[in-house]
Amino acid sequence: MTHDAFVPAPPPETAPTEADLVALVGSRLCHDLISPLGAIGNGVELLTMSGLADSPEVQLISESVAAANARIKFFRIAFGQASADQRIGTPEILGVLEEISRGGRLKYHWLGAGDQSRRVVKLIFLGLLCLEPALPWGGEVVISEEDGEWRLVAQAKRTKPDPELWARLSGSLATVSPAQVQFLLLPREAGHQGRRVVWEVAETGVEIRF
């Protein structure tokens, strides 16, 4: 026998917002992917102990797992859930940035002082993701804070600006692809935190402030 039960919706004051649901999905995906990646990493370590780690195949697997783990850690902060009272220490921030830049074309320099609100770091990481499309040939990114305003300043030999895409940060309704979803999420998250996104793209530099 089938029984149907009516479950009332939660009251408006406790109903999750669209941003909350996006963050929950991001946290769930990252959480579920970390375990299998860790298992693969453990397998590579066992191969190392058996003396097979010098083969090109094992080296490729090891590098790929390390890169995937770094990306997942970064995404977990950028797209995951972050409550107002959560904090992230400087060592963890530096560790994530170091891992994500290892073997890549972008190098990050963190100048923030002390522990930071996880919500602020989420905003910063979304901003760093926005910088990536404009810096396909690499560059140096300095992350600093002064009087409560954060600045993400990138320098490169040349940039690849996409005015229509960047206008999304200023309220444009331009369509974004899945790889560009950060341009949709950054201004929304900034608005939730009472901040406004300001940006500039030049021939050899990019800057985002909030």
Side-chain angles (χ1 to χ4, degrees):
M1 180 180 296
T2 302
H3 297 274
D4 292 328
F6 173 73
V7 180
E13 63 271 18
T14 60
T17 65
E18 180 181 349
D20 292 333
L21 292 174
V22 170
L24 285 170
V25 171
S27 292
R28 172 61 190 269
L29 290 174
C30 292
H31 177 271
D32 287 1
L33 287 172
I34 283 177
S35 292
L37 283 172
I40 297 173
N42 291 336
V44 172
E45 288 186 11
L46 291 175
L47 290 173
T48 301
M49 295 172 62
S50 67
L52 299 176
D54 292 335
S55 69
E57 294 82 4
V58 174
Q59 288 293 332
L60 178 60
I61 294 172
S62 178
E63 292 171 3
S64 298
V65 170
N69 267 317
R71 206 69 176 167
I72 289 295
K73 291 178 183 178
F74 187 92
F75 285 166
R76 196 171 192 176
I77 296 174
F79 298 120
Q81 192 176 27
S83 62
D85 58 347
Q86 284 182 300
R87 309 285 294 180
I88 300 182
T90 299
E92 182 178 353
I93 297 171
L94 292 175
V96 172
L97 292 177
E98 180 182 355
E99 290 180 20
I100 201 71
S101 64
R102 190 174 298 153
R105 296 177 178 177
L106 290 176
K107 302 300 178 184
Y108 302 102
H109 305 281
W110 176 266
L111 302 183
D115 295 353
Q116 301 295 333
S117 161
R118 188 182 182 96
R119 294 183 66 196
V120 169
V121 181
K122 175 184 176 75
L123 199 62
I124 292 168
F125 281 16
L126 285 171
L128 295 180
L129 287 173
C130 289
L131 293 178
E132 288 184 357
L135 304 165
W137 300 285
E140 303 274 337
V141 182
V142 176
I143 306 154
S144 62
E145 181 266 339
E146 184 176 353
D147 296 329
E149 181 183 64
W150 284 91
R151 299 179 65 206
L152 316 180
V153 181
Q155 293 295 325
K157 291 183 178 180
R158 58 178 174 142
T159 64
K160 185 181 180 181
D162 183 340
E164 185 175 349
L165 178 62
W166 280 84
R168 196 67 179 79
L169 296 181
S170 301
S172 166
L173 298 180
T175 302
V176 297
S177 70
Q180 301 164 341
V181 68
Q182 60 269 20
F183 285 89
L184 176 66
L185 296 176
L186 176 59
R188 290 190 179 186
E189 181 63 28
H192 293 323
Q193 297 187 29
R195 297 173 179 268
R196 184 172 67 93
V197 178
V198 179
W199 58 274
E200 181 180 357
V201 182
E203 291 184 2
T204 59
V206 189
E207 180 174 354
I208 296 177
R209 303 193 307 273
F210 41 76

